[in-house]
Amino acid sequence: MTESTTNLKLRRLGSAIIDLLLIPAFVGVLMGLLLRNFPTADSDKYLRAVSLAFLVLLQRDFIYSPGRHLLGLCLVDAKRGNLICFYQGNILLNLIKSAVRNSLLFIPFVLVVGYVAETITVIWKGYRLMDLVAGVKVVEKTKRARGT
């Protein structure tokens, strides 16, 4: 394994830790503190709404990924090298690729398993399991391909 590959793998791991563990934990603690005085039924509704917004409306791949941004990485189509985002290329196709990539994280019953599986795969292989299914990969921003 080359030094460049190892560096990219470590940055992917850092990105996964930020995006899949630290930010959700921070949002969960913040929401817990904000909703501590609400009746349980009401707070459950708000927590579900925030979770949905975090996973769908603010979908990290499609709009913004703090972890990738901080570590100088971006998400591209594995075959064509086009940036996966909402403001460039085929927006519908980019949204579908992003949704497929995050499908393990959308399903509440496998949410914890999905986070753990994706983090372990990043540690072991250097990419997320669903990257292969969605046909995308994360690369350094300086190496992102056409149209950027």
Side-chain angles (χ1 to χ4, degrees):
M1 189 179 311
T2 67
E3 184 178 332
S4 176
T5 305
T6 303
N7 183 27
L8 182 60
K9 221 176 177 183
L10 289 173
R11 289 166 62 196
R12 287 282 295 124
L13 175 60
S15 173
I17 289 170
I18 292 168
D19 288 340
L20 298 176
L21 301 173
L22 295 180
I23 291 176
F26 174 76
V27 170
V29 168
L30 181 64
M31 289 306 298
L33 291 172
L34 291 173
L35 298 174
R36 69 178 175 231
N37 294 326
F38 280 77
T40 303
D42 290 339
S43 64
D44 286 348
K45 291 175 190 174
Y46 292 122
L47 286 173
R48 285 189 196 113
V50 168
S51 296
L52 182 65
F54 183 74
L55 289 172
V56 178
L57 300 176
L58 301 175
Q59 200 179 81
R60 296 174 314 275
D61 295 339
F62 192 61
I63 296 175
Y64 180 71
S65 165
R68 280 198 312 268
H69 177 76
L70 289 170
L71 295 167
L73 302 170
C74 63
L75 185 68
V76 297
D77 184 283
K79 291 181 182 172
R80 292 181 285 287
N82 298 331
L83 189 64
I84 303 291
C85 62
F86 74 97
Y87 56 84
Q88 185 176 4
N90 185 333
I91 296 170
L92 181 60
L93 183 61
N94 288 347
L95 182 60
I96 290 169
K97 283 183 175 284
S98 181
V100 168
R101 182 174 191 259
N102 287 305
S103 62
L104 275 182
L105 309 179
F106 287 143
I107 306 166
F109 299 110
V110 297
L111 184 63
V112 173
V113 175
Y115 278 125
V116 171
E118 293 289 35
T119 303
I120 289 171
T121 307
V122 167
I123 292 168
W124 189 14
K125 298 283 189 179
Y127 52 82
R128 285 180 45 194
L129 177 65
M130 295 308 288
D131 287 352
L132 295 176
V133 176
V136 298
K137 64 182 178 179
V138 175
V139 298
E140 295 178 62
K141 282 186 180 180
T142 56
K143 293 185 179 179
R144 69 179 189 203
R146 299 176 283 217
T148 59

